[in-house]
Amino acid sequence: MEERSRPAVLINPSSWWMPEKNTLRTRLLAATQSIGAVVIALLAGLVIEQLLHVENVLLVFLPAVLFAALRFGLAVASGVSLLSVLASSFFLAEPRFSFAVADPDGVWALAIFLIVASFTSNLAAQARERAAAASYHSQVAEH
């Protein structure tokens, strides 16, 4: 029988998008890119609030949560969800520059956002894990 040699290292073609290793560098990358996504979402929320006069722009943070879930997984996405709620409460909700929320509807909106962000980040993290597994299995099948 012919013995098939197994490659020493399988290269994930999407490794630039989904880092695999849990190193300090990867964790710093996750933190900086996730915080950057929240800052971009916050700036977009401020612009939308000023231009369109929309009171509740909390949903602008959802793409940041999905980005974190797809790129780094569920743990980072959960942190982004919490950071998004804090940023929205501090910069977008009245009274400004305070974590107090004057409107009871604002508290409900923040709570519902956390629930929706948790569900969507969980789904996105599962999709990320399945894509990584499919990539691995296709590389194993090729060799």
Side-chain angles (χ1 to χ4, degrees):
M1 276 195 196
E2 182 182 321
E3 185 177 321
R4 296 177 74 177
S5 63
R6 190 170 181 189
V9 176
L10 293 176
I11 299 171
N12 184 354
S14 61
S15 63
W16 66 272
W17 173 244
M18 294 186 296
E20 300 281 330
K21 298 178 182 173
N22 189 10
T23 62
L24 178 61
R25 182 178 182 275
T26 304
R27 288 191 296 259
L28 288 174
L29 179 71
T32 55
Q33 287 185 357
S34 298
I35 291 170
V38 171
V39 169
I40 290 169
L42 175 62
L43 293 174
L46 289 169
V47 169
I48 290 170
E49 189 179 54
Q50 291 299 316
L51 292 179
L52 302 177
H53 305 290
V54 177
E55 289 184 24
N56 191 351
V57 292
L58 189 57
L59 288 179
V60 298
F61 291 100
L62 200 52
V65 174
L66 291 174
F67 165 77
L70 287 172
R71 179 111 164 93
F72 301 109
L74 184 59
V76 175
S78 299
V80 169
S81 299
L82 184 60
L83 184 62
S84 297
V85 167
L86 293 174
S88 175
S89 176
F90 193 78
F91 292 105
L92 299 173
E94 294 295 333
R96 299 279 172 134
F97 309 114
S98 169
F99 290 111
V101 179
D103 185 17
D105 291 337
V107 174
W108 279 110
L110 292 173
I112 290 171
F113 174 80
L114 272 178
I115 293 168
V116 169
S118 297
F119 283 127
T120 55
S121 61
N122 192 14
L123 289 172
Q126 287 177 5
R128 174 187 186 270
E129 291 170 4
R130 288 181 182 154
S135 175
Y136 174 79
H137 290 300
S138 70
Q139 287 180 358
V140 169
E142 288 176 5
H143 295 288

